[in-house]
Amino acid sequence: MKDSLASAVSPEQLPSGPGRPPMKILLVLPAGEQVRVTPQNPEVPRRAMLRFSVLPLTAVAALTPRQHQVRIVDENVEALDFDTDCDVVGISFMTALAPRAYEIAAGFRRRGRVVVGGGYHATLCPEDAAPHFDALVAGDAEGAWERLLADLQRGELQKVYRQPAGGEPVSLVPGDRLELLQTPVPRRDLLQHTARHYATINAVQAGRGCHHNCRYCSVTVFHGRKYRRRAVADVIGELRVLPRDFIFVDDNIIADRGYALELFRAMAPLRKRWVSQCSVLVADDPELLQQMRAAGCCGLFIGLETASEENLAAMNKQFNHTGSYSEQLRKIRRAGIGIVAGMIVGMDADDTRVFEQTLRFLQETRLDAVQLNILTPLPGTPLHADMAQAGRVTDRDWSHYDYRHVVFRPARMTAAELQAGADWVYAQFYRLDRILGRFARAVFTVGWRPALLSLKLGLTYRYDNKREGIV
């Protein structure tokens, strides 16, 4: 797709003439049908532990020149009014929410609004998204969003905006010079009216991207396998004004060891408490682990993915070693840090035995919580390209690309067996007796705060499973 494609916006849609008045901008996060708040269903589902801010939209709001009015609507917690007074609507979405994003875009375009799409799906599948929007922001918003707004006020809106201007991001691999990430402090004030529905609205990003090249991961493709980090002084300045508890939403908080150590040491005097995500390799670095804990870390999401070395190799994740998992996880828990594991079922080495094997692995390693995903070939990833070429992609309904539906032909079982097995593991792991047992154990192994987080998360996943009919 060419960035110079003609704009689909007609002149009458644009804010009027030179010296144009400030615009009213609405930023929207779509939600899936099962969890969406609507005028007909105004009750917010009790799943706050699975919501932590909407950093992409609060960051876009912060990039917006202050003369414009900005409002954020997250359909997970607030009903969307299509007749709201606005000039521009920005919608950020991942693949599973593309159908809903397109519905929202169509509704506002019928009302004469200028509608902009952004996020992972708009970036990785621009040919799919472009017909539904007046313009797309592909990749990071910094720089691109400001140019878009300026062009819009001049009546010169282009179809695609990228950062940096004029081309694709430069790919950096380990050993290359690290780029500084410059992004403003997000507009958290725009979420105050719905803050009670989130685990926290205080999401912080110190670094963006990941050097690893896992074949199923859209983060790698989106960021061009590069990692950028903010100046430590900027992060500390942001943290000083936040409450004690917050979340780092970095893709891998230890992606650059030297930077992580510098950041953690600077954070220690602040006496904050936080959770984040990182590689299991943190367990193999005693100094890094100790400094992370001293900085206030009390929980980590770690992508273990599978207990099969064959699967890890096929997904290009050989830096994980299943034989080391038990000892690595023990080290992290001994440091007083709780662990939420990311696990995937349905990889090519998996047959129907994988479900009991996965549950046994989760129990034996004493993990505090699990996010269990059915293997999903997200468009734009090498995994999707391979499966599509082999004719194994069986479902192109984007709403099913939510890690909970089977959208491909598994290698060693049927799609129905994969679906049933994944549901069984989820239901078994989040049985009430097991949730309470893990909480009691965690109090004595990682401390009461990580244990309480584990309890709340477990009860939330159990609630979600019951709502989805997973029993």
Side-chain angles (χ1 to χ4, degrees):
M1 171 176 297
K2 302 289 187 183
D3 290 6
S4 59
L5 286 178
S7 170
V9 180
S10 59
E12 59 269 19
Q13 285 180 266
L14 300 171
S16 57
R20 297 174 180 87
M23 295 186 291
K24 295 179 180 179
I25 299 171
L26 177 66
L27 302 177
V28 180
L29 182 68
E33 185 176 1
Q34 297 300 316
V35 297
R36 187 184 312 147
V37 175
T38 66
Q40 296 75 30
N41 295 291
E43 183 179 355
V44 180
R46 300 191 310 273
R47 54 199 308 272
M49 284 298 292
L50 301 180
R51 305 187 195 103
F52 41 89
S53 182
V54 284
L55 186 62
L57 293 187
T58 55
V60 169
L63 294 169
T64 304
R66 285 306 177 99
Q67 69 265 28
H68 303 305
Q69 298 179 33
V70 185
R71 183 183 168 214
I72 292 176
V73 173
D74 175 2
E75 283 197 304
N76 291 280
V77 300
E78 185 178 3
L80 179 62
D81 179 7
F82 282 91
D83 293 316
T84 192
D85 182 19
C86 64
D87 302 301
V88 183
V89 180
I91 308 172
S92 179
F93 58 101
M94 300 184 75
T95 295
L97 295 173
R100 176 57 180 167
Y102 298 163
E103 289 177 4
I104 294 170
F108 279 110
R109 292 178 90 184
R110 283 196 298 270
R111 291 164 171 81
R113 310 295 187 243
V114 177
V115 185
V116 180
Y120 274 77
H121 192 77
T123 299
L124 302 183
C125 297
E127 69 287 345
D128 181 72
H132 301 277
F133 297 94
D134 299 305
L136 296 180
V137 173
D140 291 338
E142 289 88 356
W145 175 248
E146 299 96 303
R147 293 200 314 276
L148 183 151
L149 294 178
D151 285 356
L152 177 58
Q153 288 209 298
R154 286 195 299 268
E156 300 174 356
L157 187 68
Q158 301 300 305
K159 190 65 180 181
V160 180
Y161 289 81
R162 301 181 188 274
Q163 172 63 12
E168 297 291 338
V170 177
S171 177
L172 293 182
V173 297
D176 283 351
R177 178 182 58 83
L178 291 174
E179 290 185 74
L180 277 179
L181 172 63
Q182 295 182 329
T183 189
V185 174
R187 290 283 308 275
R188 300 183 184 93
D189 58 295
L190 298 177
L191 299 180
Q192 289 296 333
H193 66 295
T194 55
R196 67 189 183 279
H197 298 304
Y198 297 88
T200 179
I201 62 170
N202 297 307
V204 179
Q205 189 172 57
R208 189 179 294 173
C210 183
H211 287 315
H212 297 305
N213 195 25
C214 305
R215 297 182 60 76
Y216 55 81
C217 184
S218 55
V219 171
T220 294
V221 185
F222 186 95
H223 294 289
R225 200 185 171 191
K226 68 179 179 179
Y227 174 75
R228 289 163 297 154
R229 73 281 190 275
R230 294 168 62 195
V232 168
D234 290 347
V235 180
I236 297 300
E238 181 177 350
L239 294 179
R240 287 188 188 279
V241 300
L242 290 184
R244 188 174 188 184
D245 298 320
F246 71 95
I247 181 173
F248 273 124
V249 295
D250 294 44
D251 302 300
N252 183 1
I253 192 72
I254 63 164
D256 174 22
R257 181 182 186 274
Y259 174 75
L261 284 172
E262 181 185 357
L263 176 64
F264 296 156
R265 287 169 180 151
M267 287 178 59
L270 302 181
R271 301 182 64 82
K272 299 289 188 179
R273 293 186 299 235
W274 51 276
V275 297
S276 189
Q277 57 185 342
C278 75
S279 158
V280 73
L281 299 179
V282 69
D284 301 330
D285 191 325
E287 181 185 13
L288 188 59
L289 184 60
Q290 188 275 329
Q291 292 293 337
M292 174 184 278
R293 184 68 188 97
C297 181
C298 57
L300 289 172
F301 177 88
I302 297 177
L304 301 178
E305 319 309 1
T306 175
S308 162
E309 289 288 339
E310 183 179 349
N311 280 332
L312 289 173
M315 293 299 165
N316 203 26
K317 196 161 185 171
Q318 297 98 321
F319 57 90
N320 276 17
H321 297 285
T322 61
S324 305
Y325 280 164
S326 293
E327 181 58 26
Q328 288 172 320
L329 298 173
R330 273 196 295 271
K331 289 178 181 178
I332 296 170
R333 289 174 58 81
R334 276 201 298 266
I337 298 173
I339 301 169
V340 180
M343 298 294 291
I344 300 174
V345 291
M347 297 186 189
D348 282 358
D350 292 343
D351 56 27
T352 54
R353 294 173 295 178
V354 71
F355 308 114
E356 289 187 359
Q357 291 168 351
T358 299
L359 182 61
R360 185 163 56 249
F361 168 79
L362 295 172
Q363 292 172 316
E364 290 174 350
T365 51
R366 299 193 168 191
L367 289 161
D368 301 290
V370 65
Q371 183 184 95
L372 185 78
N373 297 322
I374 295 171
L375 182 66
T376 301
L378 292 174
T381 63
L383 177 63
H384 184 273
D386 289 348
M387 285 195 171
Q389 185 175 13
R392 294 179 62 188
V393 176
T394 58
D395 187 344
R396 299 188 185 275
D397 180 345
W398 295 137
S399 68
H400 292 165
Y401 283 64
D402 59 356
Y403 308 101
R404 296 299 308 141
H405 292 80
V406 183
V407 297
F408 72 102
R409 187 174 67 252
R412 302 188 185 185
M413 65 183 99
T414 66
E417 287 171 334
L418 176 52
Q419 185 71 61
D423 290 350
W424 178 85
V425 175
Y426 240 153
Q428 288 294 316
F429 187 84
Y430 287 115
R431 272 176 21 191
L432 184 58
D433 60 326
R434 286 177 170 151
I435 293 173
L436 297 176
R438 286 192 293 271
F439 168 68
R441 182 183 64 216
V443 168
F444 296 100
T445 55
V446 294
W448 73 270
R449 183 166 294 278
L452 185 60
L453 289 174
S454 168
L455 175 64
K456 289 181 177 180
L457 192 56
L459 293 174
T460 302
Y461 273 120
R462 177 177 170 80
Y463 165 76
D464 243 24
N465 287 346
K466 292 176 70 174
R467 291 180 74 250
E468 295 178 14
I470 299 174
V471 296

